[in-house]
Amino acid sequence: MNINELLEGVECTCGRHHTCSIQSVYIEKDATRHLIEICANYQNILLVADENTYAAAGKVTEDTLIGQIAKNTPTSQLSNEGGSGKTLRKVIFPGNTVLVPDEKAINTVTAHLDGIDFIVGVGSGVIQDLCKYISHFNKIPYAIVATAPSMDGYASDGAAMITGGMKVTYPAGLPVAIVADTTVLANAPMEMLKAGFGDIIGKFSALNDWKLSHLMTDEYFCQYIYDITMTQVQKTIHLAEGILKRDEESVKTLMEALVVIGVMMSFAGSSRPASGSEHHLSHFFEITGILHGQEYFPHGIDVAYGTVITAQIREKLATQNLPKQVYRPDREAYLSKMEEIYKTSAPGCIALQERIGRYADTDMQKYRRKEAQMREILAEMPSAEEIKRLLFLVDLDIQEFYDLYGTDKINDAVLYAKELKDRYSVLWINYDFNGGAK
């Protein structure tokens, strides 16, 4: 699939004209050379990276930008810190700690925005979300130089931030361009290559949730977007051996799949084609890890293991008898558990769910009316054993998931991860039927 042709948009049978404002995508060897044309019309550029991503691709990005600035600016006007001529500034976060896309990180970058008319982010998930968020809210265009094929957010218009102690996906702008040097991608930490593969496997769950939500809540659904996304999934599952060998062509194909799925999110106007219950579980482990000072896996790996869990849930729901009534907890016990798990984030989670009103919905008839269709959709998901097999192809063993988190925490995730989002998923069906028990 030619990504740049896809960016031109599609007049879809769903009735919508799908568009994506990204101007260009370069996934190739020595892709950073394209920054010369991308940045040609901008005067003052801010480069944002951390020490690790700077070493991977930031230095060559800086050299390219400095060369472009020097070529177009008299020597007397060159500056690295400001002034009347063309400038290049840098924000390089420490590489020895986990960078969190929170208010502190936002403030660190925005402190350097005076006079800046273009941002170049160098990194993957967190750097991407941080630059996307800051670009959107400060109305400054940006480009991303990808350093790992670790997630699908490069081409999506949502910025996954942690603000007020909560994981919040903000509507945000898209990059002017995505630049990905395949040599850099292939040399990314193996954990990040596995995370990208795992993020793709998670689409089995996300797409199934989208169908379920369309059935149960009449949420918008597009078969074209669904089919394109599933095609990328099917293409990726054959890449495992090449990914482990750091084969550049395999890694390039993985990156292309991640970017195409990001474009599909832009087409849909939300992350729905790529994010469902498996992502809610991942967000749970990330948020509680930050709040409680506990270790958690990289996003894509958590998504991959979460997909095993959601597959197990679907298998159970596909065959169990419908209950007589939906489960609803004692309110005081619910509030107490929320405060225990989410601490300072609990009020925000509770307010979100009260606004949506799902706990107030005790209608069992909707499940009875659509039982046959619901079971049919649930059965479309690959089995948990099949998901485990696919993950094992890239040496991801579900046992390490249980070893890190333990059964109790995983069960809590199944119960309470749904509180972090306003999105309907299989976690809500499971909660309605079984009180959230796995």
Side-chain angles (χ1 to χ4, degrees):
M1 175 174 288
N2 186 312
I3 298 175
N4 287 299
E5 288 181 3
L6 188 65
L7 296 177
E8 295 175 6
V10 173
E11 197 68 46
C12 189
T13 55
C14 77
R16 294 188 181 184
H17 178 67
H18 299 312
T19 61
C20 182
S21 63
I22 299 172
Q23 296 175 14
S24 54
V25 174
Y26 302 101
I27 305 173
E28 59 193 55
K29 192 179 290 291
D30 300 323
T32 48
R33 71 183 187 276
H34 293 287
L35 287 168
I36 294 172
E37 62 212 64
I38 293 166
C39 299
N41 296 322
Y42 299 103
Q43 290 289 112
N44 304 304
I45 300 168
L46 178 66
L47 187 153
V48 180
D50 64 34
E51 290 175 347
N52 297 320
T53 62
Y54 181 81
K59 183 61 169 65
V60 68
T61 296
E62 181 181 9
D63 290 346
T64 301
L65 293 174
I66 287 175
Q68 191 266 344
I69 290 171
K71 182 179 178 180
N72 293 283
T73 308
T75 303
S76 61
Q77 294 183 18
L78 279 173
S79 170
N80 285 324
E81 291 299 332
S84 60
K86 288 180 177 288
T87 66
L88 175 65
R89 301 180 201 160
K90 295 183 291 184
V91 174
I92 311 296
F93 289 94
N96 58 352
T97 57
V98 176
L99 178 59
V100 177
D102 58 8
E103 292 91 345
K104 181 179 178 181
I106 293 168
N107 291 337
T108 297
V109 176
T110 53
H112 294 80
L113 289 183
D114 186 32
I116 293 296
D117 60 357
F118 197 68
I119 299 169
V120 176
V122 181
S124 56
V126 174
I127 292 292
Q128 158 74 8
D129 285 323
L130 187 59
C131 290
K132 185 186 302 184
Y133 178 93
I134 290 168
S135 163
H136 179 71
F137 286 99
N138 292 276
K139 295 181 171 51
I140 301 173
Y142 82 104
I144 186 71
V145 178
T147 55
S150 55
M151 53 91 212
D152 56 21
Y154 290 112
S156 76
D157 57 3
M161 308 295 287
I162 296 176
T163 55
M166 286 186 67
K167 185 88 171 188
V168 180
T169 299
Y170 291 92
L174 292 163
V176 170
I178 299 170
V179 177
D181 185 326
T182 52
T183 302
V184 172
L185 298 180
N187 286 295
M190 182 53 67
E191 190 175 55
M192 300 190 82
L193 298 181
K194 293 179 181 181
F197 184 88
D199 202 15
I200 293 285
I201 296 300
K203 307 319 169 204
F204 282 120
S205 173
L207 290 170
N208 194 264
D209 278 329
W210 196 15
K211 276 193 171 182
L212 287 170
S213 184
H214 176 61
L215 174 69
M216 301 306 303
T217 72
D218 201 30
E219 180 180 348
Y220 163 75
F221 178 82
C222 174
Q223 191 65 48
Y224 171 83
I225 293 173
Y226 178 97
D227 290 343
I228 292 290
T229 304
M230 186 59 79
T231 297
Q232 300 308 308
V233 175
Q234 296 295 345
K235 181 172 65 174
T236 302
I237 61 179
H238 303 293
L239 301 175
E241 182 178 359
I243 289 171
L244 289 180
K245 291 180 178 178
R246 298 184 182 275
D247 172 67
E248 262 191 54
E249 196 58 36
S250 296
V251 173
K252 177 183 178 182
T253 303
L254 172 62
M255 182 67 182
E256 288 172 344
L258 290 164
V259 171
V260 169
I261 291 172
V263 173
M264 291 303 102
M265 286 189 265
S266 292
F267 278 11
S270 77
S271 63
R272 179 51 106 169
S275 175
S277 51
E278 75 299 326
H279 272 68
H280 300 166
L281 296 178
S282 173
H283 296 329
F284 176 91
F285 295 119
E286 180 182 7
I287 288 293
T288 56
I290 292 170
L291 290 171
H292 295 267
Q294 297 168 340
E295 186 181 358
Y296 54 92
F297 288 112
H299 170 74
I301 292 178
D302 260 338
V303 164
Y305 290 141
T307 303
V308 175
I309 303 302
T310 68
Q312 291 171 344
I313 292 170
R314 286 178 171 88
E315 289 178 63
K316 178 181 67 176
L317 291 173
T319 58
Q320 79 171 85
N321 294 327
L322 296 184
K324 292 181 179 180
Q325 60 186 30
V326 299
Y327 170 82
R328 287 296 176 262
D330 171 78
R331 180 165 176 77
E332 290 306 314
Y334 165 76
L335 294 177
S336 176
K337 189 65 175 181
M338 289 287 287
E339 290 168 357
E340 174 191 335
I341 291 176
Y342 289 122
K343 292 190 171 182
T344 55
S345 299
C349 293
I350 294 166
L352 174 65
Q353 295 308 320
E354 287 182 343
R355 177 176 61 80
I356 299 166
R358 287 216 175 93
Y359 279 102
D361 179 8
T362 59
D363 178 21
M364 192 65 211
Q365 293 304 315
K366 65 177 181 286
Y367 291 116
R368 295 194 177 98
R369 289 191 300 269
K370 300 179 179 180
E371 179 182 0
Q373 295 163 279
M374 180 187 70
R375 293 188 190 279
E376 184 177 314
I377 293 170
L378 289 167
E380 291 177 4
M381 173 82 181
S383 69
E385 288 304 312
E386 174 61 10
I387 299 297
K388 289 179 188 177
R389 184 190 71 80
L390 291 172
L391 297 181
F392 201 71
L393 293 176
V394 291
D395 294 339
L396 289 176
D397 186 345
I398 189 67
Q399 188 57 49
E400 70 173 359
F401 181 71
Y402 286 101
D403 289 344
L404 179 61
Y405 296 134
T407 302
D408 288 345
K409 187 169 184 177
I410 293 170
N411 287 341
D412 278 345
V414 171
L415 274 165
Y416 297 105
K418 68 187 190 316
E419 314 295 339
L420 292 167
K421 297 290 180 179
D422 60 359
R423 184 163 291 173
Y424 186 84
S425 76
V426 75
L427 296 181
W428 270 106
I429 301 176
N430 186 54
Y431 193 82
D432 285 349
F433 287 16
N434 304 298
K438 191 170 74 68

